[in-house]
Amino acid sequence: MTRTPAFPPQGPPLIDGFGRTVTYLRLSVTDRCDLRCTYCMAEHMTFLPKAQVLTLEELDRIASAFVALGVRKLRLTGGEPLVRKGVMELVESLSRHLATGDLSELTLTTNGTRLAEFADRLAGAGVKRINVSLDTLRPDLFRALTRGGDLAKVLAGIDAAQAAGLKVKINAVALKDDNASELPGLIAWAHGRGLDATLIETMPMGEVEADRTDQFLSLKDVRRELEGFWTLEDIPLNTGGPARYVRVAETGGRLGFITPLTHNFCEACNRVRLTCTGTLHTCLGQEDSADLRAVLRAGASDADLIEAIRLAVDAKPKGHDFRIARAAGPAVARHMSTTGG
Ligand code: SAM
Ligand code: SF4
């Protein structure tokens, strides 16, 4: 890929209409994935035609515009970011913003299946921490939940990431009928390897076959159960996101709870999301969006692009409105794999 020149800093930081400063961009680099997690995707997904997906150069240009506007943290996601062809070129290109100090963190969220291949290059590009999504340590359940995935590949990927010096956080979606009984074991395993762990409540995004009211497991209940045998000490780690953290006294490890449905985290929200088609979503739970691909492909100058971003951020909604009700459809029609979570 050809690199776009760095934008010079672009005036005042990105502040939305409610006074929140946007410092974090999640960038979905593909809607494709080598797994089909039941809560995330339908079994037979129709993926986007290539022409609709931003090129690596377009992704780089938009991300660099956000950096020029004061974004300090970039997270690549998807779909599965490591299945995007040329993704390492993008990572290596974006790492120039780490070198200048304009960006403080470049990271990604991955399912881990291709980490063994890419861990060294990621570390070489200045990536320090990654999130690996892993809901179970049982090969049979992993295969069922991901519709065909191979747990051994993910575990080998985590080994490779740790060997490369990357800090790994394990993210697990809490699912009532599937992995509820396994969560303490998964957390203990992660902490035993020196990894932080975070539990996520399922969110009603996109139509999938499974009934979300059946899958939904409140993290309040999980926390209560864990407190039956562990001491959970609150730690004031505010990431500006929906996670609340505790330290498990017995394991010494950190545990996060992401509860978008039972806890309102919007007042401190510092993030926006770009889909792989260039749609900027300023709120995960609302349909508001701005089409930055159209802006780019109409031949926008850097100033036009910056203006489009400022306008979209100015209109960032105050908060989301997720509800899991049997009668209601998904709160938001797009799948998590298009916005990247
Ligand atoms: N493929 C990568 C992965 O799995 O880590 C990155 C994209 S994935 C969409 C990002 C995160 O969203 C994963 O941790 C996944 O478990 C989570 N996720 C997907 N669908 C979800 C849903 N409906 N509710 C809550 N979390 C979800
Ligand atoms: Fe793929 Fe990640 Fe969605 Fe699973 S959660 S289907 S790994 S994008």
Side-chain angles (χ1 to χ4, degrees):
M1 62 177 285
T2 45
R3 295 187 185 186
T4 44
F7 279 78
Q10 297 287 330
L14 270 180
I15 298 179
D16 74 9
F18 296 95
R20 297 167 295 190
T21 305
V22 171
T23 55
Y24 180 7
L25 173 67
R26 298 171 81 112
L27 192 60
S28 174
V29 300
T30 180
D31 63 326
R32 288 165 199 261
C33 187
D34 52 345
L35 301 180
R36 295 285 183 281
C37 301
T38 51
Y39 49 80
C40 176
M41 289 196 182
E43 187 161 10
H44 302 288
M45 290 289 287
T46 312
F47 292 110
L48 295 162
K50 204 170 154 213
Q52 290 189 23
V53 176
L54 296 180
T55 63
L56 297 174
E57 285 79 7
E58 288 171 326
L59 285 164
D60 187 284
R61 186 163 176 226
I62 295 178
S64 299
F66 274 96
V67 172
L69 284 164
V71 160
R72 303 282 304 161
K73 177 169 172 178
L74 273 182
R75 177 180 296 280
L76 305 191
T77 178
E80 172 48 40
L82 297 182
V83 306
R84 172 78 196 252
K85 209 168 154 221
V87 69
M88 284 311 308
E89 288 170 59
L90 177 66
V91 171
E92 283 158 0
S93 173
L94 290 172
S95 74
R96 70 189 185 279
H97 301 303
L98 291 171
T100 59
D102 292 334
L103 196 62
S104 42
E105 185 169 19
L106 177 59
T107 183
L108 79 161
T109 299
T110 173
N111 63 26
T113 59
R114 301 196 66 186
L115 261 183
E117 197 178 324
F118 292 122
D120 284 334
R121 255 178 103 178
L122 288 168
V127 173
K128 301 261 184 273
R129 307 189 298 169
I130 57 171
N131 289 351
V132 177
S133 303
L134 178 61
D135 305 326
T136 174
L137 292 170
R138 277 175 41 205
D140 55 330
L141 180 58
F142 185 84
R143 203 171 308 113
L145 274 180
T146 59
R147 299 193 183 97
D150 179 2
L151 176 67
K153 275 195 193 166
V154 178
L155 298 181
I158 294 171
D159 287 341
Q162 287 195 278
L166 297 173
K167 264 193 94 180
V168 176
K169 179 160 78 72
I170 302 295
N171 280 347
V173 175
L175 301 160
K176 192 163 85 183
D177 296 326
D178 295 319
N179 66 359
S181 61
E182 266 204 79
L183 292 174
L186 184 62
I187 297 162
W189 171 85
H191 289 176
R193 297 183 58 130
L195 313 179
D196 289 344
T198 295
L199 304 178
I200 310 174
E201 268 175 5
T202 50
M203 290 181 255
M205 298 193 66
E207 290 288 356
V208 295
E209 286 88 350
D211 182 339
R212 290 184 207 279
T213 46
D214 288 346
Q215 295 206 41
F216 181 73
L217 171 62
S218 162
L219 290 187
K220 262 196 195 136
D221 296 342
V222 175
R223 186 172 172 147
R224 202 171 305 122
E225 193 207 326
L226 297 178
E227 281 170 337
F229 45 88
W230 280 339
T231 314
L232 307 185
E233 301 159 349
D234 280 311
I235 43 178
L237 189 72
N238 192 349
T239 58
R244 294 288 171 267
Y245 288 90
V246 298
R247 185 168 302 283
V248 180
E250 289 77 3
T251 63
R254 273 200 311 213
L255 174 64
F257 296 90
I258 300 186
T259 55
L261 299 158
T262 52
H263 184 94
N264 196 317
F265 53 84
C266 306
E267 68 281 355
C269 183
N270 62 353
R271 61 194 60 188
V272 294
R273 297 170 167 80
L274 188 80
T275 70
C276 60
T277 56
T279 303
L280 182 68
H281 290 286
T282 52
C283 176
L284 181 60
Q286 301 275 1
E287 297 285 2
D288 300 55
S289 66
D291 184 356
L292 297 185
R293 184 186 63 193
V295 175
L296 281 193
R297 294 189 182 174
S301 65
D302 289 352
D304 297 336
L305 176 58
I306 295 286
E307 175 67 13
I309 293 172
R310 282 202 188 278
L311 272 176
V313 167
D314 187 54
K316 182 172 158 69
K318 190 166 182 199
H320 65 61
D321 187 23
F322 282 131
R323 249 176 257 119
I324 289 194
R326 193 170 284 272
V332 176
R334 59 184 187 269
H335 285 91
M336 189 67 103
S337 52
T338 42
T339 29

